[in-house]
Amino acid sequence: LNFELKKNSSLANKRLEEVDFPENSIFPVIKRKIKGEIIIPAGSTQLLPEDSVYLLCLYSNLEEVKAVFSEELQHVILPFQEV
């Protein structure tokens, strides 16, 4: 999944280790809107407003992921999903 953190997101300015996301889910890459940096995050990486966040998860965890990131996941197209 890929989504952009809204400016007023409840996740903005939190470190990844503070976010309660499902087991078997990872953030392999974060792209900073400011400076256009690509980051391979660690637990101490802070999520910033307007970050483009990439998340990998098991399909079986998708509903749990949607619950955690509900305010960001408005227009998500899943791989292998018919459009």
Side-chain angles (χ1 to χ4, degrees):
L1 303 173
N2 171 241
F3 55 90
E4 185 174 297
L5 285 182
K6 295 178 181 177
K7 288 183 181 183
N8 60 348
S9 172
S10 61
L11 300 172
N13 301 309
K14 285 190 176 183
R15 292 187 318 269
L16 282 178
E17 61 197 9
E18 298 173 316
V19 178
D20 185 26
F21 58 95
E23 200 171 308
N24 298 316
S25 303
I26 61 168
F27 293 92
V29 174
I30 295 174
K31 182 178 180 198
R32 299 268 189 232
K33 187 167 189 172
I34 303 168
K35 299 183 186 179
E37 293 177 301
I38 302 292
I39 298 169
I40 298 173
S44 61
T45 301
Q46 189 173 30
L47 294 169
L48 300 179
E50 299 183 321
D51 275 355
S52 186
V53 178
Y54 294 81
L55 176 101
L56 297 176
C57 69
L58 297 175
Y59 189 79
S60 59
N61 290 1
L62 190 57
E63 292 306 314
E64 201 174 343
V65 168
K66 284 181 182 178
V68 173
F69 299 104
S70 60
E71 59 189 85
E72 277 77 23
L73 298 177
Q74 293 177 353
H75 305 290
V76 173
I77 296 176
L78 301 173
F80 311 111
Q81 176 182 353
E82 275 190 43
V83 184

